[in-house]
Amino acid sequence: MDMGSELAYDYRVLKLGGSLITCKDLPRCVRLELLRKVSEEIKKFVDENPNEKIILLHGGGSFGHYEASIFDDSRTVRTSEAMQELNYMITKQLLKSGVNVISIPGKFYTFDIVLNALGKGLVPLIYGDIKFDASIISADDMSIDIAKKLNARLLFAIDKAGILGRDGRVISELRRIDEVGRLLQANYYDVTGGISSKIQKIFENNLNAMIFDGSKAGNIYLALKGYNIGTLVRGNPNA
């Protein structure tokens, strides 16, 4: 069901990659100045587009991925605590910028919770998480689920200009899943499968998604506005 049309809003699902918002090589380090700029661009879009709704998600980066990569008896609680810490810092900055966010842990994610938050005029902020059974719930997977159900524009903000071909240049559009073989190695290893897994899931769910550089000034705003920057993964050629 196209819930987006039924609810009479246009929707944007924006996932902030962990590699974008955290320091790659330093555990539990947030790129605070970048986060401030990202928050301000989101606020600008929200203010200018009152009839369009945003759902935000974020990955784990050097918080969740780092802790989840260490397999010991405390892995579940350490990873959960790390993601709560990261989410708190992101939530705090978005609120400071004037974005009316409400935090939703991934372990408690349901689509109905997202709809309830939107119905109250809130901006859901959902984060990748670890469940009580120690399994990982990916922010990518939740992003895709929400975008599919809302027929929403799906946006992945990463720390690269887009998907890079073997020649090192940005691939402007991917139309077939077999083109993924043209990719370089994933940006860096993470416990949710990295960029190749992201692309495969987009195709499998017949979605269109923009993968772009969220660190470049203005790009978050432009992507929310609908500009094609980075790589368009065209999983639904009819849309």
PDB file of all heavy atoms in Angstrom, residues 85-120:
ATOM      1  N   GLU A  85      24.523   6.418  23.275  1.00  0.00           N
ATOM      2  CA  GLU A  85      25.381   7.590  23.429  1.00  0.00           C
ATOM      3  C   GLU A  85      25.444   8.404  22.135  1.00  0.00           C
ATOM      4  O   GLU A  85      25.304   9.631  22.145  1.00  0.00           O
ATOM      5  CB  GLU A  85      26.787   7.160  23.840  1.00  0.00           C
ATOM      6  CG  GLU A  85      27.744   8.331  24.034  1.00  0.00           C
ATOM      7  CD  GLU A  85      29.149   7.895  24.394  1.00  0.00           C
ATOM      8  OE1 GLU A  85      29.402   6.679  24.524  1.00  0.00           O
ATOM      9  OE2 GLU A  85      30.008   8.780  24.538  1.00  0.00           O
ATOM     10  N   LEU A  86      25.648   7.713  21.017  1.00  0.00           N
ATOM     11  CA  LEU A  86      25.712   8.398  19.731  1.00  0.00           C
ATOM     12  C   LEU A  86      24.376   9.064  19.408  1.00  0.00           C
ATOM     13  O   LEU A  86      24.339  10.223  18.976  1.00  0.00           O
ATOM     14  CB  LEU A  86      26.083   7.407  18.631  1.00  0.00           C
ATOM     15  CG  LEU A  86      26.078   7.937  17.195  1.00  0.00           C
ATOM     16  CD1 LEU A  86      27.035   9.110  17.037  1.00  0.00           C
ATOM     17  CD2 LEU A  86      26.431   6.822  16.214  1.00  0.00           C
ATOM     18  N   ASN A  87      23.306   8.347  19.618  1.00  0.00           N
ATOM     19  CA  ASN A  87      21.987   8.907  19.322  1.00  0.00           C
ATOM     20  C   ASN A  87      21.691  10.133  20.181  1.00  0.00           C
ATOM     21  O   ASN A  87      21.089  11.107  19.700  1.00  0.00           O
ATOM     22  CB  ASN A  87      20.905   7.849  19.537  1.00  0.00           C
ATOM     23  CG  ASN A  87      19.519   8.377  19.258  1.00  0.00           C
ATOM     24  OD1 ASN A  87      18.770   8.696  20.181  1.00  0.00           O
ATOM     25  ND2 ASN A  87      19.159   8.491  17.996  1.00  0.00           N
ATOM     26  N   TYR A  88      22.132  10.104  21.425  1.00  0.00           N
ATOM     27  CA  TYR A  88      21.918  11.260  22.303  1.00  0.00           C
ATOM     28  C   TYR A  88      22.604  12.503  21.744  1.00  0.00           C
ATOM     29  O   TYR A  88      22.013  13.592  21.713  1.00  0.00           O
ATOM     30  CB  TYR A  88      22.448  10.962  23.704  1.00  0.00           C
ATOM     31  CG  TYR A  88      22.475  12.180  24.600  1.00  0.00           C
ATOM     32  CD1 TYR A  88      21.297  12.690  25.158  1.00  0.00           C
ATOM     33  CD2 TYR A  88      23.669  12.837  24.870  1.00  0.00           C
ATOM     34  CE1 TYR A  88      21.321  13.819  25.964  1.00  0.00           C
ATOM     35  CE2 TYR A  88      23.705  13.966  25.669  1.00  0.00           C
ATOM     36  CZ  TYR A  88      22.521  14.450  26.217  1.00  0.00           C
ATOM     37  OH  TYR A  88      22.546  15.575  27.005  1.00  0.00           O
ATOM     38  N   MET A  89      23.828  12.352  21.264  1.00  0.00           N
ATOM     39  CA  MET A  89      24.563  13.502  20.731  1.00  0.00           C
ATOM     40  C   MET A  89      23.917  14.037  19.455  1.00  0.00           C
ATOM     41  O   MET A  89      23.837  15.250  19.242  1.00  0.00           O
ATOM     42  CB  MET A  89      26.023  13.119  20.493  1.00  0.00           C
ATOM     43  CG  MET A  89      26.815  12.962  21.780  1.00  0.00           C
ATOM     44  SD  MET A  89      28.588  12.707  21.505  1.00  0.00           S
ATOM     45  CE  MET A  89      28.607  10.956  21.227  1.00  0.00           C
ATOM     46  N   ILE A  90      23.436  13.120  18.604  1.00  0.00           N
ATOM     47  CA  ILE A  90      22.770  13.551  17.371  1.00  0.00           C
ATOM     48  C   ILE A  90      21.446  14.219  17.693  1.00  0.00           C
ATOM     49  O   ILE A  90      21.112  15.278  17.136  1.00  0.00           O
ATOM     50  CB  ILE A  90      22.565  12.343  16.438  1.00  0.00           C
ATOM     51  CG1 ILE A  90      23.917  11.783  15.994  1.00  0.00           C
ATOM     52  CG2 ILE A  90      21.736  12.739  15.209  1.00  0.00           C
ATOM     53  CD1 ILE A  90      23.829  10.463  15.257  1.00  0.00           C
ATOM     54  N   THR A  91      20.688  13.622  18.590  1.00  0.00           N
ATOM     55  CA  THR A  91      19.407  14.202  19.003  1.00  0.00           C
ATOM     56  C   THR A  91      19.601  15.594  19.590  1.00  0.00           C
ATOM     57  O   THR A  91      18.865  16.536  19.260  1.00  0.00           O
ATOM     58  CB  THR A  91      18.721  13.287  20.038  1.00  0.00           C
ATOM     59  OG1 THR A  91      18.487  12.002  19.458  1.00  0.00           O
ATOM     60  CG2 THR A  91      17.395  13.889  20.501  1.00  0.00           C
ATOM     61  N   LYS A  92      20.583  15.723  20.444  1.00  0.00           N
ATOM     62  CA  LYS A  92      20.850  17.004  21.094  1.00  0.00           C
ATOM     63  C   LYS A  92      21.157  18.091  20.078  1.00  0.00           C
ATOM     64  O   LYS A  92      20.667  19.226  20.178  1.00  0.00           O
ATOM     65  CB  LYS A  92      22.005  16.843  22.083  1.00  0.00           C
ATOM     66  CG  LYS A  92      22.279  18.074  22.943  1.00  0.00           C
ATOM     67  CD  LYS A  92      23.351  17.768  23.980  1.00  0.00           C
ATOM     68  CE  LYS A  92      23.611  18.971  24.869  1.00  0.00           C
ATOM     69  NZ  LYS A  92      24.652  18.674  25.899  1.00  0.00           N
ATOM     70  N   GLN A  93      21.974  17.772  19.057  1.00  0.00           N
ATOM     71  CA  GLN A  93      22.333  18.765  18.053  1.00  0.00           C
ATOM     72  C   GLN A  93      21.141  19.128  17.177  1.00  0.00           C
ATOM     73  O   GLN A  93      20.936  20.300  16.839  1.00  0.00           O
ATOM     74  CB  GLN A  93      23.476  18.247  17.184  1.00  0.00           C
ATOM     75  CG  GLN A  93      23.951  19.245  16.143  1.00  0.00           C
ATOM     76  CD  GLN A  93      24.409  20.557  16.748  1.00  0.00           C
ATOM     77  OE1 GLN A  93      25.369  20.592  17.515  1.00  0.00           O
ATOM     78  NE2 GLN A  93      23.726  21.650  16.423  1.00  0.00           N
ATOM     79  N   LEU A  94      20.341  18.140  16.792  1.00  0.00           N
ATOM     80  CA  LEU A  94      19.159  18.433  15.982  1.00  0.00           C
ATOM     81  C   LEU A  94      18.170  19.302  16.742  1.00  0.00           C
ATOM     82  O   LEU A  94      17.601  20.254  16.192  1.00  0.00           O
ATOM     83  CB  LEU A  94      18.501  17.121  15.540  1.00  0.00           C
ATOM     84  CG  LEU A  94      19.203  16.379  14.397  1.00  0.00           C
ATOM     85  CD1 LEU A  94      18.735  14.932  14.335  1.00  0.00           C
ATOM     86  CD2 LEU A  94      18.946  17.076  13.060  1.00  0.00           C
ATOM     87  N   LEU A  95      17.967  19.006  18.010  1.00  0.00           N
ATOM     88  CA  LEU A  95      17.080  19.834  18.829  1.00  0.00           C
ATOM     89  C   LEU A  95      17.624  21.256  18.973  1.00  0.00           C
ATOM     90  O   LEU A  95      16.868  22.234  18.914  1.00  0.00           O
ATOM     91  CB  LEU A  95      16.890  19.198  20.211  1.00  0.00           C
ATOM     92  CG  LEU A  95      16.056  17.916  20.256  1.00  0.00           C
ATOM     93  CD1 LEU A  95      16.128  17.296  21.649  1.00  0.00           C
ATOM     94  CD2 LEU A  95      14.607  18.188  19.868  1.00  0.00           C
ATOM     95  N   LYS A  96      18.920  21.356  19.137  1.00  0.00           N
ATOM     96  CA  LYS A  96      19.550  22.676  19.242  1.00  0.00           C
ATOM     97  C   LYS A  96      19.346  23.482  17.971  1.00  0.00           C
ATOM     98  O   LYS A  96      19.207  24.718  18.014  1.00  0.00           O
ATOM     99  CB  LYS A  96      21.039  22.515  19.534  1.00  0.00           C
ATOM    100  CG  LYS A  96      21.774  23.820  19.794  1.00  0.00           C
ATOM    101  CD  LYS A  96      23.233  23.559  20.164  1.00  0.00           C
ATOM    102  CE  LYS A  96      23.976  24.859  20.440  1.00  0.00           C
ATOM    103  NZ  LYS A  96      25.404  24.591  20.799  1.00  0.00           N
ATOM    104  N   SER A  97      19.306  22.794  16.832  1.00  0.00           N
ATOM    105  CA  SER A  97      19.093  23.466  15.548  1.00  0.00           C
ATOM    106  C   SER A  97      17.624  23.750  15.272  1.00  0.00           C
ATOM    107  O   SER A  97      17.300  24.400  14.273  1.00  0.00           O
ATOM    108  CB  SER A  97      19.667  22.608  14.411  1.00  0.00           C
ATOM    109  OG  SER A  97      21.069  22.462  14.554  1.00  0.00           O
ATOM    110  N   GLY A  98      16.747  23.247  16.126  1.00  0.00           N
ATOM    111  CA  GLY A  98      15.325  23.524  15.980  1.00  0.00           C
ATOM    112  C   GLY A  98      14.524  22.450  15.277  1.00  0.00           C
ATOM    113  O   GLY A  98      13.368  22.677  14.902  1.00  0.00           O
ATOM    114  N   VAL A  99      15.126  21.271  15.083  1.00  0.00           N
ATOM    115  CA  VAL A  99      14.413  20.155  14.462  1.00  0.00           C
ATOM    116  C   VAL A  99      13.729  19.349  15.568  1.00  0.00           C
ATOM    117  O   VAL A  99      14.370  18.902  16.512  1.00  0.00           O
ATOM    118  CB  VAL A  99      15.366  19.252  13.656  1.00  0.00           C
ATOM    119  CG1 VAL A  99      14.582  18.126  12.979  1.00  0.00           C
ATOM    120  CG2 VAL A  99      16.136  20.074  12.625  1.00  0.00           C
ATOM    121  N   ASN A 100      12.432  19.146  15.431  1.00  0.00           N
ATOM    122  CA  ASN A 100      11.612  18.543  16.479  1.00  0.00           C
ATOM    123  C   ASN A 100      11.691  17.020  16.436  1.00  0.00           C
ATOM    124  O   ASN A 100      10.720  16.333  16.108  1.00  0.00           O
ATOM    125  CB  ASN A 100      10.169  19.021  16.305  1.00  0.00           C
ATOM    126  CG  ASN A 100       9.342  18.857  17.560  1.00  0.00           C
ATOM    127  OD1 ASN A 100       9.877  18.788  18.656  1.00  0.00           O
ATOM    128  ND2 ASN A 100       8.029  18.793  17.392  1.00  0.00           N
ATOM    129  N   VAL A 101      12.866  16.484  16.780  1.00  0.00           N
ATOM    130  CA  VAL A 101      13.093  15.048  16.649  1.00  0.00           C
ATOM    131  C   VAL A 101      12.657  14.280  17.890  1.00  0.00           C
ATOM    132  O   VAL A 101      12.665  14.812  19.006  1.00  0.00           O
ATOM    133  CB  VAL A 101      14.575  14.727  16.352  1.00  0.00           C
ATOM    134  CG1 VAL A 101      14.978  15.240  14.997  1.00  0.00           C
ATOM    135  CG2 VAL A 101      15.493  15.248  17.440  1.00  0.00           C
ATOM    136  N   ILE A 102      12.301  13.017  17.653  1.00  0.00           N
ATOM    137  CA  ILE A 102      12.016  12.089  18.744  1.00  0.00           C
ATOM    138  C   ILE A 102      12.793  10.810  18.464  1.00  0.00           C
ATOM    139  O   ILE A 102      12.754  10.268  17.359  1.00  0.00           O
ATOM    140  CB  ILE A 102      10.500  11.803  18.871  1.00  0.00           C
ATOM    141  CG1 ILE A 102      10.207  10.945  20.105  1.00  0.00           C
ATOM    142  CG2 ILE A 102       9.930  11.184  17.623  1.00  0.00           C
ATOM    143  CD1 ILE A 102      10.274  11.705  21.401  1.00  0.00           C
ATOM    144  N   SER A 103      13.548  10.355  19.441  1.00  0.00           N
ATOM    145  CA  SER A 103      14.433   9.214  19.261  1.00  0.00           C
ATOM    146  C   SER A 103      13.668   7.891  19.355  1.00  0.00           C
ATOM    147  O   SER A 103      12.829   7.700  20.249  1.00  0.00           O
ATOM    148  CB  SER A 103      15.534   9.259  20.328  1.00  0.00           C
ATOM    149  OG  SER A 103      16.382   8.148  20.215  1.00  0.00           O
ATOM    150  N   ILE A 104      13.988   6.968  18.432  1.00  0.00           N
ATOM    151  CA  ILE A 104      13.382   5.633  18.419  1.00  0.00           C
ATOM    152  C   ILE A 104      14.495   4.593  18.306  1.00  0.00           C
ATOM    153  O   ILE A 104      15.128   4.479  17.257  1.00  0.00           O
ATOM    154  CB  ILE A 104      12.396   5.458  17.253  1.00  0.00           C
ATOM    155  CG1 ILE A 104      11.288   6.525  17.322  1.00  0.00           C
ATOM    156  CG2 ILE A 104      11.797   4.051  17.254  1.00  0.00           C
ATOM    157  CD1 ILE A 104      10.367   6.535  16.107  1.00  0.00           C
ATOM    158  N   PRO A 105      14.766   3.832  19.360  1.00  0.00           N
ATOM    159  CA  PRO A 105      15.796   2.790  19.265  1.00  0.00           C
ATOM    160  C   PRO A 105      15.404   1.733  18.240  1.00  0.00           C
ATOM    161  O   PRO A 105      14.241   1.326  18.159  1.00  0.00           O
ATOM    162  CB  PRO A 105      15.825   2.194  20.678  1.00  0.00           C
ATOM    163  CG  PRO A 105      15.219   3.249  21.557  1.00  0.00           C
ATOM    164  CD  PRO A 105      14.193   3.936  20.710  1.00  0.00           C
ATOM    165  N   GLY A 106      16.391   1.281  17.481  1.00  0.00           N
ATOM    166  CA  GLY A 106      16.104   0.296  16.457  1.00  0.00           C
ATOM    167  C   GLY A 106      15.516  -0.991  17.000  1.00  0.00           C
ATOM    168  O   GLY A 106      14.702  -1.639  16.331  1.00  0.00           O
ATOM    169  N   LYS A 107      15.904  -1.383  18.211  1.00  0.00           N
ATOM    170  CA  LYS A 107      15.397  -2.631  18.778  1.00  0.00           C
ATOM    171  C   LYS A 107      13.886  -2.577  19.026  1.00  0.00           C
ATOM    172  O   LYS A 107      13.237  -3.612  19.160  1.00  0.00           O
ATOM    173  CB  LYS A 107      16.140  -2.983  20.069  1.00  0.00           C
ATOM    174  CG  LYS A 107      15.981  -1.991  21.204  1.00  0.00           C
ATOM    175  CD  LYS A 107      16.576  -2.529  22.508  1.00  0.00           C
ATOM    176  CE  LYS A 107      18.065  -2.757  22.440  1.00  0.00           C
ATOM    177  NZ  LYS A 107      18.840  -1.498  22.396  1.00  0.00           N
ATOM    178  N   PHE A 108      13.330  -1.359  19.072  1.00  0.00           N
ATOM    179  CA  PHE A 108      11.889  -1.206  19.294  1.00  0.00           C
ATOM    180  C   PHE A 108      11.165  -0.688  18.047  1.00  0.00           C
ATOM    181  O   PHE A 108       9.989  -0.313  18.118  1.00  0.00           O
ATOM    182  CB  PHE A 108      11.634  -0.255  20.459  1.00  0.00           C
ATOM    183  CG  PHE A 108      12.251  -0.713  21.755  1.00  0.00           C
ATOM    184  CD1 PHE A 108      13.081   0.129  22.480  1.00  0.00           C
ATOM    185  CD2 PHE A 108      12.028  -1.993  22.239  1.00  0.00           C
ATOM    186  CE1 PHE A 108      13.663  -0.284  23.670  1.00  0.00           C
ATOM    187  CE2 PHE A 108      12.604  -2.425  23.420  1.00  0.00           C
ATOM    188  CZ  PHE A 108      13.417  -1.570  24.150  1.00  0.00           C
ATOM    189  N   TYR A 109      11.858  -0.672  16.912  1.00  0.00           N
ATOM    190  CA  TYR A 109      11.267  -0.123  15.696  1.00  0.00           C
ATOM    191  C   TYR A 109      10.066  -0.921  15.208  1.00  0.00           C
ATOM    192  O   TYR A 109      10.106  -2.145  15.121  1.00  0.00           O
ATOM    193  CB  TYR A 109      12.301  -0.077  14.576  1.00  0.00           C
ATOM    194  CG  TYR A 109      11.681   0.086  13.204  1.00  0.00           C
ATOM    195  CD1 TYR A 109      11.172   1.309  12.795  1.00  0.00           C
ATOM    196  CD2 TYR A 109      11.560  -1.007  12.342  1.00  0.00           C
ATOM    197  CE1 TYR A 109      10.589   1.461  11.549  1.00  0.00           C
ATOM    198  CE2 TYR A 109      10.976  -0.870  11.093  1.00  0.00           C
ATOM    199  CZ  TYR A 109      10.485   0.368  10.706  1.00  0.00           C
ATOM    200  OH  TYR A 109       9.887   0.504   9.480  1.00  0.00           O
ATOM    201  N   THR A 110       8.985  -0.200  14.894  1.00  0.00           N
ATOM    202  CA  THR A 110       7.880  -0.710  14.093  1.00  0.00           C
ATOM    203  C   THR A 110       7.436   0.435  13.182  1.00  0.00           C
ATOM    204  O   THR A 110       7.627   1.611  13.514  1.00  0.00           O
ATOM    205  CB  THR A 110       6.678  -1.173  14.928  1.00  0.00           C
ATOM    206  OG1 THR A 110       6.065  -0.044  15.565  1.00  0.00           O
ATOM    207  CG2 THR A 110       7.082  -2.211  15.974  1.00  0.00           C
ATOM    208  N   PHE A 111       6.838   0.097  12.087  1.00  0.00           N
ATOM    209  CA  PHE A 111       6.361   1.132  11.179  1.00  0.00           C
ATOM    210  C   PHE A 111       5.271   1.964  11.833  1.00  0.00           C
ATOM    211  O   PHE A 111       5.179   3.184  11.615  1.00  0.00           O
ATOM    212  CB  PHE A 111       5.869   0.501   9.883  1.00  0.00           C
ATOM    213  CG  PHE A 111       5.390   1.494   8.857  1.00  0.00           C
ATOM    214  CD1 PHE A 111       6.262   2.430   8.316  1.00  0.00           C
ATOM    215  CD2 PHE A 111       4.065   1.503   8.440  1.00  0.00           C
ATOM    216  CE1 PHE A 111       5.832   3.352   7.374  1.00  0.00           C
ATOM    217  CE2 PHE A 111       3.631   2.422   7.493  1.00  0.00           C
ATOM    218  CZ  PHE A 111       4.505   3.342   6.957  1.00  0.00           C
ATOM    219  N   ASP A 112       4.446   1.336  12.643  1.00  0.00           N
ATOM    220  CA  ASP A 112       3.366   2.061  13.324  1.00  0.00           C
ATOM    221  C   ASP A 112       3.906   3.132  14.258  1.00  0.00           C
ATOM    222  O   ASP A 112       3.320   4.215  14.385  1.00  0.00           O
ATOM    223  CB  ASP A 112       2.475   1.090  14.112  1.00  0.00           C
ATOM    224  CG  ASP A 112       1.539   0.297  13.214  1.00  0.00           C
ATOM    225  OD1 ASP A 112       1.332   0.726  12.061  1.00  0.00           O
ATOM    226  OD2 ASP A 112       1.013  -0.732  13.666  1.00  0.00           O
ATOM    227  N   ILE A 113       5.031   2.852  14.913  1.00  0.00           N
ATOM    228  CA  ILE A 113       5.638   3.860  15.790  1.00  0.00           C
ATOM    229  C   ILE A 113       6.052   5.079  14.977  1.00  0.00           C
ATOM    230  O   ILE A 113       5.862   6.223  15.409  1.00  0.00           O
ATOM    231  CB  ILE A 113       6.849   3.263  16.541  1.00  0.00           C
ATOM    232  CG1 ILE A 113       6.373   2.283  17.610  1.00  0.00           C
ATOM    233  CG2 ILE A 113       7.703   4.369  17.169  1.00  0.00           C
ATOM    234  CD1 ILE A 113       7.501   1.572  18.338  1.00  0.00           C
ATOM    235  N   VAL A 114       6.606   4.848  13.802  1.00  0.00           N
ATOM    236  CA  VAL A 114       7.006   5.951  12.926  1.00  0.00           C
ATOM    237  C   VAL A 114       5.782   6.770  12.521  1.00  0.00           C
ATOM    238  O   VAL A 114       5.803   8.013  12.566  1.00  0.00           O
ATOM    239  CB  VAL A 114       7.731   5.412  11.678  1.00  0.00           C
ATOM    240  CG1 VAL A 114       7.998   6.540  10.682  1.00  0.00           C
ATOM    241  CG2 VAL A 114       9.039   4.743  12.075  1.00  0.00           C
ATOM    242  N   LEU A 115       4.714   6.104  12.133  1.00  0.00           N
ATOM    243  CA  LEU A 115       3.487   6.815  11.752  1.00  0.00           C
ATOM    244  C   LEU A 115       2.926   7.619  12.914  1.00  0.00           C
ATOM    245  O   LEU A 115       2.456   8.751  12.728  1.00  0.00           O
ATOM    246  CB  LEU A 115       2.433   5.819  11.256  1.00  0.00           C
ATOM    247  CG  LEU A 115       2.674   5.138   9.915  1.00  0.00           C
ATOM    248  CD1 LEU A 115       1.487   4.250   9.561  1.00  0.00           C
ATOM    249  CD2 LEU A 115       2.920   6.156   8.805  1.00  0.00           C
ATOM    250  N   ASN A 116       2.968   7.056  14.109  1.00  0.00           N
ATOM    251  CA  ASN A 116       2.463   7.774  15.284  1.00  0.00           C
ATOM    252  C   ASN A 116       3.268   9.037  15.547  1.00  0.00           C
ATOM    253  O   ASN A 116       2.700  10.102  15.867  1.00  0.00           O
ATOM    254  CB  ASN A 116       2.506   6.864  16.515  1.00  0.00           C
ATOM    255  CG  ASN A 116       1.448   5.778  16.482  1.00  0.00           C
ATOM    256  OD1 ASN A 116       0.450   5.916  15.770  1.00  0.00           O
ATOM    257  ND2 ASN A 116       1.659   4.704  17.215  1.00  0.00           N
ATOM    258  N   ALA A 117       4.589   8.941  15.418  1.00  0.00           N
ATOM    259  CA  ALA A 117       5.436  10.116  15.624  1.00  0.00           C
ATOM    260  C   ALA A 117       5.137  11.184  14.577  1.00  0.00           C
ATOM    261  O   ALA A 117       4.987  12.379  14.902  1.00  0.00           O
ATOM    262  CB  ALA A 117       6.909   9.715  15.568  1.00  0.00           C
ATOM    263  N   LEU A 118       5.031  10.777  13.316  1.00  0.00           N
ATOM    264  CA  LEU A 118       4.725  11.726  12.248  1.00  0.00           C
ATOM    265  C   LEU A 118       3.365  12.383  12.475  1.00  0.00           C
ATOM    266  O   LEU A 118       3.200  13.583  12.228  1.00  0.00           O
ATOM    267  CB  LEU A 118       4.739  11.013  10.892  1.00  0.00           C
ATOM    268  CG  LEU A 118       6.097  10.516  10.389  1.00  0.00           C
ATOM    269  CD1 LEU A 118       5.908   9.619   9.173  1.00  0.00           C
ATOM    270  CD2 LEU A 118       7.018  11.679  10.063  1.00  0.00           C
ATOM    271  N   GLY A 119       2.424  11.600  12.934  1.00  0.00           N
ATOM    272  CA  GLY A 119       1.087  12.133  13.179  1.00  0.00           C
ATOM    273  C   GLY A 119       1.037  13.174  14.273  1.00  0.00           C
ATOM    274  O   GLY A 119       0.104  13.991  14.321  1.00  0.00           O
ATOM    275  N   LYS A 120       2.034  13.163  15.153  1.00  0.00           N
ATOM    276  CA  LYS A 120       2.123  14.144  16.245  1.00  0.00           C
ATOM    277  C   LYS A 120       2.997  15.331  15.852  1.00  0.00           C
ATOM    278  O   LYS A 120       3.313  16.174  16.688  1.00  0.00           O
ATOM    279  CB  LYS A 120       2.684  13.482  17.502  1.00  0.00           C
ATOM    280  CG  LYS A 120       1.831  12.349  18.052  1.00  0.00           C
ATOM    281  CD  LYS A 120       0.479  12.829  18.530  1.00  0.00           C
ATOM    282  CE  LYS A 120      -0.270  11.744  19.302  1.00  0.00           C
ATOM    283  NZ  LYS A 120      -0.593  10.550  18.471  1.00  0.00           N
TER     284      LYS A 120
END
